Structures are given as structure tokens and as C-alpha cells.
Amino acid sequence: MSKNEILANITIEKLIFGGKWLATAPDGRKIIITGGCIPGSLVDLRILKAKKSHYEAQELRIVKKSPMEVPLPDGFQMYGGAKWLTIGYEDQLNIKTEQVKESFHHIEKWINEEQTSLPVFHPIIASPEIYGYRNKVEFSWGKYISAKEDIHDEFRFGFHAQGQFDRIIDCTYCALADTETNAIFLEVDRLSRDSGYPTYDPKTGVGFWRHFVVRRATSSQELMLIFSINSLYTDEVKIFFMDIVKQLTEKYPNIASIYFLENTGKADIVTGNPVLLFGKTAITAELLGLSFEIQPKSFFQVNTLGAEKLYTEAISFIKNKWGFLLDLYAGTGTIGILLAKYFEKVYSVELIESASRDGEKNAIKNGITNVEFVCWKAEEFAKKFLEQWGKADTIVIDPPRDGMHPSTIPSLLSFWAREIIYVSCNPATLARDLEVLIGKTRDEKSENLPKYRITDVTPVDMFPHTHHIET
């Protein structure tokens, strides 16, 4: 079999990391599949790459639906950011649970042989809301031009077509956004189409409309709107946007803040110099009884109620709440701030300076004085901390999808901390890092350092209708 050939009547077996699916070809080779597949469905696939060990393929058509498939709810729309809308939620939870369990398979034998007690694998914690749960939604303007599909549409507003930075799918309803966010989106869609200004073209760098972001404070229902525009804030643009601000704020009184971002760079990201057009500089979200300011570029968990479940579970895992706490890869320091009342001192370590500044503001806002925010790489700070203080009683790690930097782990082990809480958004890199922490994989430098045992594992679904899972 070679590129562009068709594999017919292939059964989708299971999810693997990255939102891809696994199947087996007639010749025995594994198939890694992109597209909105559902386990148990029978499909035809087009081969994208043929390798000695496996194929990479894309779903071409569905021959027979999976027993897991459920009808798309009335008014809902399928798009890249919510590819699991037609999988029942209980089945989603089962798929994610199995993915986390499978990531532990290659260290399972080691755990059984080396640990005196086996870890408790707790049931997955479901999201309190499965629709409208996102407190931040990012829409994009653009085009959809395809000679092959005979489409030439210069004005689209919605989401990127999967894997295609230069093509936008018009959105009619975002199932992961709340009702008011959807209503505001449709209003902005109308206003932008009527404006006469063109959408941005990433190939030429020409055009006006780029991105639109809605941020929501779940408890207060305050809304922040962010317009990312390929333009400076000139007098002409100011007059135009003042009219938009007036129309939106009169119709939607929960709008507390509107920003204009001068986004004239080439990268397809929401960035640029922020100009406050209306209202407050920040909206205020609540999480487990504490208040957090949300500004245009602030990091905050996108599922507020789900984050409360996640952090409550993480806090419950800590058995000895006293002494020094290290919060590594801390972001805006949310976990450290929530844990500050249990510890003598918390060090919140984050490389991105703006995130550390946001953390400092939020600590002050909540009257918390025992958290020190450190803007360093986690691996560099770990070495420095070890030299100066020599110990940390508890460590919380919440790294990006790539997991911990290899040089961080030996320093962590040198602290001889009582316990480590690892919050992961990638089961594969979690298992890789655990190999070192439990002593299965060690180099000479860390051979005599402590070997930890895994006591508890809990998957937490923060992102219903997507393949993402926290552990």
C-alpha cells in the first residue's frame, strides 16, 4: 500500500494521544488516523504516509456508524474544537479513562514488583457542565478558498478548518460557549460583515478583521470582549469602534470590558498592544472562594467549575500540609495561592513574566502574603533553591504538554520532599516523567536519590467533547 491508496472497511479501535485514532490494516500494520472518528465505526481511509511500521491515514467516509455514536443535538454544529459531540458523554469518559490507564502499562510491572502497596486508580471526575463550559472562546475571521471544492468565500467568521491555518469554517453555534457568548458572536458577525472592512489574509498580510475573543467570569457573569485587528488604533478606527461598543453594550449589559488589540504581526495569534475601549481593565473570576483578576492576556483555566474539581482533588492528595511548598510551572500561581493557607511559605515559579505579575496581583487581592512569585525556568530555579535552602516539603508540578524538562527532575529528587503532586495534561509525558520519579529509569547522578511510589491517580475531564484529559 502506498500514498493516496484507499484502505476499505477498517474498524476504528481506540484513541491514542493527540486526538488521533488507531486501527489495524489488513497487512497487520497499525494505522494512525486523523479526523473525527469514533471507536467501533467502520470506515474507508486514504493513506497519507506509508511507513515500514505503520500507516498515517485520514478518514474518507463512514461505512458503518459506531454503536457509540449519538445524534448531533438540534442547532449544534461540528467543528475542529469539539469533534466528540456525537460521542455520548459516558463513552467519552470511558475512552479517556482507558487512555490514562494505558499510559501506565509500561510501568505497571515495575510498580507491581517494587511498591509494597499499589496505587489507587480513582474513577474519572466528570465536568460539572458538558456544554457552554468554556469561559474563554476565540473566534477567527478569514477566508475559505479552494479550487478543488469550488469554494471562493472572502468573508468567513468562526473557527479554523482542522489542520488548515488559512481556511475558516463559518460558525453558527459553538456548543462549548454559553448562550450569551453565542448571541454576542452572531451580533459581531453581522456588524463585521456590514462594516465593509475585509478579513485578514495570512498569506498576504492584508485585511482588517483577525480574531474575536470572549472571556466570561462564571460567578459574576461579567464579560470581556477582545477585538484583534490588523490595524493601529487610528482616529478613523476609533470612530468606527465606538459605534460597535455602543451597540453591543446597550444590548448586552453583562459586558464589563472591551479591548482593541493592535495586531499587525504575521503570527496567527491573539496579541498586540491593548487599547481599552470600554469599562474595566479586568473582570473578576472566583475559584474556590478566592478572587482572580482576568485581563486580556491572563491565563486562567477555561472550565471554571471543572478547575474547582481538579484543584480540590489535588489539594486532597496532599497528606502533610505544612512547611515549604514549591509550585513549579505555576502559570498565574492559582494552585499556590489556593494552597498558601496550609504552608509556611509557597514559591510560585513561572517563566512568563506577565503570568507571575498577574499572580502577585491576585495574591494581594486575596490578602495572601506568604507566596513568593519567581520568574525563572523551573529547572534553573530548582537548582538555585537547592543551593540556598536545601529542602522543600511538598512539590506541586503542573507542566505543559511536553512534561518536565529533563534537567528539572534530578533537582526535584534532591529536595527529598515528602510528597509530589503532579498535575498533567498529557498522559504520555506524565508516564515518562513518573518512570524517573519512581526509580525505573535513572542515570548515575540520581541513582542514590529518593524513589517515590505512586499512591493515587485521578483523571479529570476538563474538556468535554474534545480528546483532552487532565490527570
Side-chain angles (χ1 to χ4, degrees), residues 289-293 337 360-369:
L290 297 181
S291 298
F292 295 86
E293 282 195 356
I337 291 172
E360 288 177 339
K361 292 176 185 176
N362 287 323
I364 293 169
K365 186 179 183 69
N366 289 284
I368 294 169
T369 58

Side-chain angles (χ1 to χ4, degrees), residues 49-63:
K49 291 182 181 179
K51 300 186 177 182
K52 288 183 179 180
S53 59
H54 68 277
Y55 297 107
E56 294 179 17
Q58 188 172 36
E59 180 186 278
L60 190 62
R61 67 181 67 87
I62 298 172
V63 178

